[in-house]
Amino acid sequence: MAVPDGNGRAPTASHADPRGDPFLRTQFAVPARPVTFLRRDRLAEHLDEALLTPLTVVHGAAGAGKTLLAADWASTRDEPVAWPTAQVADRGGGTFWAYLLEALRLAGVTTSADVGLPAEAGRADDRLLTRLAAELSARTTPVILVVDEYDRVTDPEIADQLEFVLRQAGHGMRLVLVTRTEPLLPLHRYRAAGTITEIRNAELAFTPGEASALLALHGLRLPADDAGALVERTRGWAAGLRLCALAAQGEPDPRTFLKEFEADRTTIADFLLAEVLKRQTAQTQDLLLRVSVLERFCPDLANALTGRTDAERVLTALHGQNAFVEYLGHAWFRLHPLFGEILRAYLRVRSPELEAELHRRAARWLRRSGSLGEALGHAAAADDWETAARAVIGDLALGEVFTGLHCDDLSRLFSRMGPEPASAATDLVRAACELSRCEVARGSSRLRRAAQALAAQAGSADGDPADLAATRLSCAFLETLVARLTGAPGRAERAARFAEQVRRDVPDALLEAHPELIALLLTHLGSARLWAGRVRDARAALTTVVDSSGTGATEQARRECLGHLALIDYLKGWPGRAERKALATVTAADRGGPPPAPGPGLASLVLAAVAVERDELDRAQALLDAAVDARHPPPDPVTQAGRAIVTGRILLARGDTQAALEAADRAVVADVASPWAEAHTASVAAAAHLAEGRPEMAVKLLEDAPGDEPVCLVGAAQAELAAGRPEAAAELLDRMRPQGDLGPALTVRAALVRAQLAGEDGDYAARRGLVSRAFREARRERLRRPFADAGPWLRTLPLGALAEGWLPCGPTRRGSPARTGEQPALPVVEELSGRERDVLRRLAQMMSTEEIAADLYVSVNTVKTHLKSAYRKLAVNRRHDAVRRARELGLL
């Protein structure tokens, strides 16, 4: 490419502008690339398309790297490149065209005397432009005309003239405009015709990989994550990255500096203040400083902060100028992160008292517009906690403290609130935050104070009626939560009735915008009812939430309700139903592969309980561990009781009866006792005593259990039978018959106890029929544990194919935990004959075959025949194994 003449000789008259002043050589100099310049091939390849279209526009913010990109590309061209800078455009059209013609001459593009030179500084003759266009159109090789700083061209006449020459020059000229703003040209025509190449601000931004390469040129090596974070903060802004790199070179720990630097204390601030802010009018500067307190803003919000009405025009112009104002769509804007950071620091220095007021104005506007989250952030930034609390309560958004995407954000936000101010709204928010952390005593105290404040306002006409109704409903919501956490169903019912009354005064729009509050209220009510044993009423409240139109806001409440409904099914003896409901708490997006398990909570406890019924003890333990969040204790009595019951049943199944007793004895603190919780913990304790050979203790425990809970009736019948009172056992089982809707987990156990009773009476046909029915019901639900808990008598029955491959290992030795991870299927043995039992008893006394034959007065061959038959029935091959198996089955 041609370069300007650098011999320093004084220009001739032809080398002067229309005023007679010599041309400024710097206006034609292609900028030199620094040694740390990074050539980015993707941009150079895009710029190559400039040869295919008559017009190319490279427009981006100050320091975006557009000029160096064009300069680097121009240095690689074989075609002649003319490089004028448009700084002289403000001197008039004649001066502009004189400089453009001089740039063509320096590039080796000579024009004839017919073209001439502008005679006046303020204008260019139309004949000159026509003849210039004609000569350019006759060229076989196009000249590349790069006009730098084209944003300085503000005279529409110059733009029209340039567009005329471009259009008429045809293939003879390729125009490249480097500009900060949208150029004064009819770009829409070129875009519609597909005859323009555009490289915009977003494309000029550095990628993380390019940023890493640029930093390496400055001697800095950053991990990919750090480079990505720096690009995110600078938005890939070229000047910002270079200035950061230069500043970091002088730091002892460049990596930490690039992570934590304060933009307002670097040369970046000097650059942006000088190149962007100070170039604006005083009114525009004021607007930029005021909106700097916002993450995003629209014209109406900006007007609210400035008190003016011109924000839309100003913001649109700033965006068009690439003045670090980014357009987000739908009339919303934001500042470049570094620019915003620097403006906020400048605002604090210039008007330190203004920042809090701006945050308060923003909070008020954003709440009115429905942007509660942003409103809260600005209220907190102004340290205006009363406004923040009123916004949460008045918008009926208190439920978001417990559920949804913003619960952690709200908790962190209000954790900064001090003891003042004190009002019903602030006390309710404080109570909600404390209750969300299960700090029940502190939360209840705050709630009482808020309720007293509301009661004092009952007859007052002050305030917005809708806000007051929302506050009362929020108070009732927290009352139901406290009732749930303390096991106080009466309190929950009273709060629910009050909530039903006051919700009529709450605008429907608020209820629709925040359905989570009512959903959570019904969840707490259902849980409190379940604790009280009012299963039908509990199911009604819980089902209302589950059947409601699901949204993201109510998803957590729906999961909790499904977990409670699953527990109800389990308590009723329907493990399959319980499992399906518990697994339904996992969202569809979580599914795939084997059935997943929910996280901490009631659903995992129910799944663990179902796994125990199926004798899948390893899975049950894993689910129990998943159900317990080590960071948070079980939040309510229902979950606490469920954990104790499942823990006890797992320990019982593993043979650790003492630990099972301890688990069942764990007290659940609640205002009222729960009939089902007491019944199931008594059942666990009774089973442990029964396994230790203390049937009378088991009977006593179950007699003291409340009501006629089926689980207690079955356990008591089994204990009475073990104590030698079959009539009492039969009477207890008869009391189960009037109770409908009992599932197989209960009916199978009851059938097995009845079968044992029938065997005691010698009715073997009835016994076999009852056991067969139990097997059929159990297979549908994959229940194995009832057979393991039934006792050794079941192993002696000739059940054949009915139980083949179904029953788990025989009972473990008392006091020794079962081996986990093993579930070999033992065939059920046929009943041993009396003579076979006689042989086994003597075998256990370490008698030899000859000694057994002599003691029984039979031949040695007869003893061997009986042994062979006993081995087959016990599924063993050796004497020692036969004795051990017989003892396990209670035959010795």
Side-chain angles (χ1 to χ4, degrees):
M1 84 174 244
V3 296
D5 185 356
N7 57 20
R9 292 175 298 178
T12 64
S14 62
H15 295 165
D17 67 19
R19 295 179 178 180
D21 295 329
F23 288 117
L24 300 173
R25 296 294 179 174
T26 55
Q27 300 301 303
F28 310 106
V30 179
R33 277 82 66 209
V35 293
T36 55
F37 174 77
L38 176 70
R39 175 172 292 167
R40 295 184 281 169
D41 292 338
R42 63 180 177 88
L43 295 178
E45 290 170 3
H46 192 178
L47 202 49
D48 284 341
E49 297 177 14
L51 300 177
L52 305 177
T53 59
L55 177 61
T56 296
V57 179
V58 182
H59 51 118
K66 53 191 180 297
T67 297
L68 288 180
L69 167 66
D72 180 62
W73 175 79
S75 69
T76 65
R77 306 311 312 165
D78 295 328
E79 300 87 355
V81 177
W83 186 289
T85 300
Q87 286 184 359
V88 296
D90 58 352
R91 300 182 189 177
T95 303
F96 173 82
W97 282 103
Y99 268 83
L100 191 146
L101 289 168
E102 179 68 6
L104 291 173
R105 187 188 70 78
L106 292 172
V109 179
T110 58
T111 57
S112 68
D114 290 340
V115 173
L117 293 171
E120 301 177 28
R123 60 181 295 275
D125 189 84
D126 290 344
R127 293 176 61 240
L128 180 152
L129 300 176
T130 301
R131 292 174 181 180
L132 173 62
E135 292 193 9
L136 289 174
S137 67
R139 291 182 59 84
T140 56
T141 301
V143 58
I144 299 173
L145 176 61
V146 181
V147 182
D148 195 12
E149 298 187 37
Y150 186 76
D151 47 279
R152 292 179 179 266
V153 176
T154 58
D155 186 346
E157 184 179 11
I158 295 177
D160 290 343
Q161 291 170 342
L162 184 61
E163 201 268 332
F164 167 79
V165 172
L166 174 64
R167 189 170 64 251
Q168 301 303 323
H171 183 73
M173 184 176 79
R174 293 290 181 258
L175 178 62
V176 179
L177 303 181
V178 180
T179 175
R180 293 186 184 184
T181 64
E182 189 95 343
L184 280 176
L185 283 177
L187 299 186
H188 60 282
R189 297 178 189 169
Y190 293 90
R191 288 167 179 158
T195 55
I196 184 173
T197 299
E198 290 187 88
I199 297 180
R200 296 174 176 270
N201 201 55
E203 190 177 354
L204 289 168
F206 275 66
T207 66
E210 291 168 348
S212 294
L214 178 66
L215 293 171
L217 291 174
H218 289 78
L220 303 172
R221 304 286 178 180
L222 278 192
D225 290 347
D226 289 353
L230 184 60
V231 167
E232 177 64 25
R233 187 175 179 189
T234 60
R235 294 280 196 272
W237 177 43
L241 290 170
R242 289 191 178 94
L243 292 172
C244 285
L246 290 171
Q249 285 179 327
E251 293 292 325
D253 186 356
R255 181 181 175 188
T256 301
F257 172 81
L258 290 173
K259 279 184 178 181
E260 302 174 358
F261 71 90
E262 298 178 35
D264 61 297
R265 298 180 182 273
T266 65
T267 53
I268 297 174
D270 299 332
F271 182 96
L272 288 176
L273 291 175
E275 293 293 324
V276 182
L277 183 65
K278 299 296 178 64
R279 286 194 173 198
Q280 309 300 330
T281 65
Q283 291 81 3
T284 300
Q285 289 184 38
D286 179 69
L287 182 144
L288 285 170
L289 288 170
R290 288 172 180 263
V291 299
S292 69
V293 303
L294 303 166
E295 290 294 324
R296 62 182 190 124
F297 43 88
C298 64
D300 286 345
L301 177 53
N303 286 333
L305 267 60
T306 62
R308 304 200 307 267
T309 59
D310 60 347
E312 183 173 9
R313 175 184 61 78
V314 174
L315 292 174
T316 302
L318 288 169
H319 173 64
Q321 296 167 15
N322 287 311
F324 291 81
V325 175
E326 304 170 5
Y327 183 62
L328 302 177
H330 304 288
W332 284 88
F333 300 82
R334 71 179 175 191
L335 296 176
H336 184 286
L338 290 179
F339 192 38
E341 187 178 340
I342 290 163
L343 289 178
R344 285 190 294 276
Y346 190 53
L347 175 67
R348 293 186 192 109
V349 172
R350 177 173 158 176
S351 304
E353 75 291 342
L354 183 57
E355 186 175 11
E357 174 59 24
L358 292 173
H359 281 299
R360 277 191 288 270
R361 291 186 192 180
R364 289 194 292 268
W365 189 95
L366 287 164
R367 185 191 171 190
R368 288 195 303 270
S369 70
S371 301
L372 178 63
E374 292 176 274
L376 293 177
H378 286 289
D383 205 26
D384 188 352
W385 296 106
E386 178 67 26
T387 295
R390 285 182 181 274
V392 170
I393 302 299
D395 280 22
L396 209 66
L398 194 62
E400 290 192 13
V401 174
F402 301 91
T403 184
L405 299 175
H406 308 299
C407 56
D408 291 339
D409 294 337
L410 286 173
S411 296
R412 282 193 296 269
L413 179 80
F414 283 105
S415 67
R416 294 153 45 194
M417 179 168 57
E420 298 297 335
S423 67
T426 54
D427 279 335
L428 284 175
V429 170
R430 289 187 182 99
C433 292
E434 288 158 356
L435 291 172
S436 71
R437 299 190 295 268
C438 293
E439 297 174 7
V440 181
R442 294 182 63 185
S444 298
S445 176
R446 300 277 193 193
L447 182 57
R448 279 195 303 273
R449 196 162 75 175
Q452 290 167 359
L454 282 174
Q457 296 177 21
S460 174
D462 296 337
D464 185 347
D467 276 1
L468 182 59
T471 305
R472 289 174 175 169
L473 183 56
S474 299
C475 187
F477 157 65
L478 292 183
E479 284 284 343
T480 60
L481 173 55
V482 171
R484 172 187 176 179
L485 296 176
T486 57
R491 182 177 182 178
E493 295 291 349
R494 291 190 296 273
R497 286 194 295 270
F498 180 70
E500 190 61 32
Q501 294 173 5
V502 298
R503 70 179 291 185
R504 301 168 191 161
D505 299 324
V506 178
D508 291 340
L510 284 183
L511 292 169
E512 292 170 4
H514 292 284
E516 71 278 354
L517 188 133
I518 297 299
L520 288 170
L521 187 151
L522 290 174
T523 303
H524 303 330
L525 177 63
S527 182
R529 286 174 173 175
L530 176 56
W531 177 252
R534 297 170 51 200
V535 174
R536 180 177 299 177
D537 293 337
R539 185 181 276 125
L542 299 167
T543 304
T544 299
V545 178
V546 172
D547 291 345
S548 63
S549 56
T551 66
T554 60
E555 185 59 34
Q556 181 173 317
R558 294 182 72 252
R559 291 187 184 192
E560 282 197 58
C561 288
L562 280 169
H564 282 76
L565 291 170
L567 178 61
I568 291 173
D569 283 336
Y570 170 76
L571 296 175
K572 288 287 187 180
W574 295 97
R577 295 180 188 174
E579 180 183 50
R580 287 189 292 274
K581 286 186 175 69
L583 287 176
T585 64
V586 183
T587 61
D590 297 330
R591 295 196 176 107
L602 196 55
S604 286
L605 282 174
V606 172
L607 289 175
V610 171
V612 173
E613 293 296 314
R614 292 171 178 166
D615 217 24
E616 300 167 353
L617 301 186
D618 287 345
R619 173 170 165 76
Q621 186 63 55
L623 287 163
L624 176 61
D625 294 341
V628 179
D629 188 343
R631 297 169 300 175
H632 306 290
D636 55 34
V638 171
T639 309
Q640 293 174 36
R643 178 184 177 185
I645 292 165
V646 175
T647 301
R649 296 213 178 277
I650 292 175
L651 293 169
L652 276 177
R654 294 196 184 280
D656 194 345
T657 53
Q658 187 57 43
L661 280 170
E662 293 174 1
D665 195 40
R666 290 174 187 160
V668 176
V669 179
D671 285 7
V672 301
S674 172
W676 61 265
E678 289 193 350
H680 276 263
T681 52
S683 172
V684 170
H689 285 299
L690 190 60
E692 294 288 345
R694 297 187 292 272
E696 296 295 347
M697 181 66 75
V699 170
K700 180 67 170 63
L701 275 173
L702 295 170
E703 282 179 349
D704 293 340
D708 282 351
E709 288 285 336
V711 68
C712 288
L713 294 175
V714 174
Q718 195 172 10
E720 292 283 12
L721 190 56
R725 294 187 288 269
E727 296 82 2
E731 181 183 347
L732 288 166
L733 293 175
D734 288 340
R735 286 160 59 183
M736 287 183 61
R737 287 178 176 171
Q739 301 190 33
D741 196 31
L742 293 182
L746 294 169
T747 58
V748 166
R749 280 186 164 82
L752 290 175
V753 178
R754 288 187 184 280
Q756 189 177 1
L757 278 169
E760 294 285 336
D761 291 341
D763 190 348
Y764 299 114
R767 179 177 67 178
R768 183 174 180 84
L770 287 164
V771 172
S772 298
R773 188 181 75 188
F775 268 105
R776 286 193 298 272
E777 289 187 29
R779 278 184 181 275
R780 285 194 294 269
E781 296 277 356
R782 309 202 313 274
L783 302 178
R784 290 182 174 86
R785 196 68 225 166
F787 300 96
D789 293 341
W793 65 272
L794 189 61
R795 301 291 198 239
T796 64
L797 300 184
L799 297 173
L802 187 64
E804 184 176 355
W806 175 250
L807 284 186
C809 297
T812 57
R813 292 182 183 178
R814 187 170 298 166
S816 62
R819 288 176 294 173
T820 60
E822 300 181 5
Q823 299 242 356
L826 287 179
V828 177
V829 298
E830 297 179 28
E831 192 167 1
L832 299 179
S833 67
R835 184 57 78 182
E836 288 166 350
R837 291 189 182 214
D838 290 339
V839 171
L840 277 176
R841 290 190 190 97
R842 287 159 177 78
L843 200 65
Q845 298 172 12
M846 305 298 291
M847 295 174 67
S848 65
T849 305
E850 292 76 8
E851 290 172 336
I852 295 172
D855 196 47
L856 293 175
Y857 301 101
V858 295
S859 67
V860 171
N861 286 336
T862 300
V863 172
K864 289 180 179 179
T865 300
H866 288 314
L867 283 174
K868 184 177 180 181
S869 178
Y871 288 172
R872 176 181 62 79
K873 292 178 179 180
L874 294 172
V876 297
N877 297 310
R878 297 181 298 177
R879 284 169 164 249
H880 175 74
D881 291 338
V883 171
R884 178 179 57 79
R885 183 65 52 78
R887 283 177 173 158
E888 288 177 346
L889 297 174
L891 303 178
L892 296 176

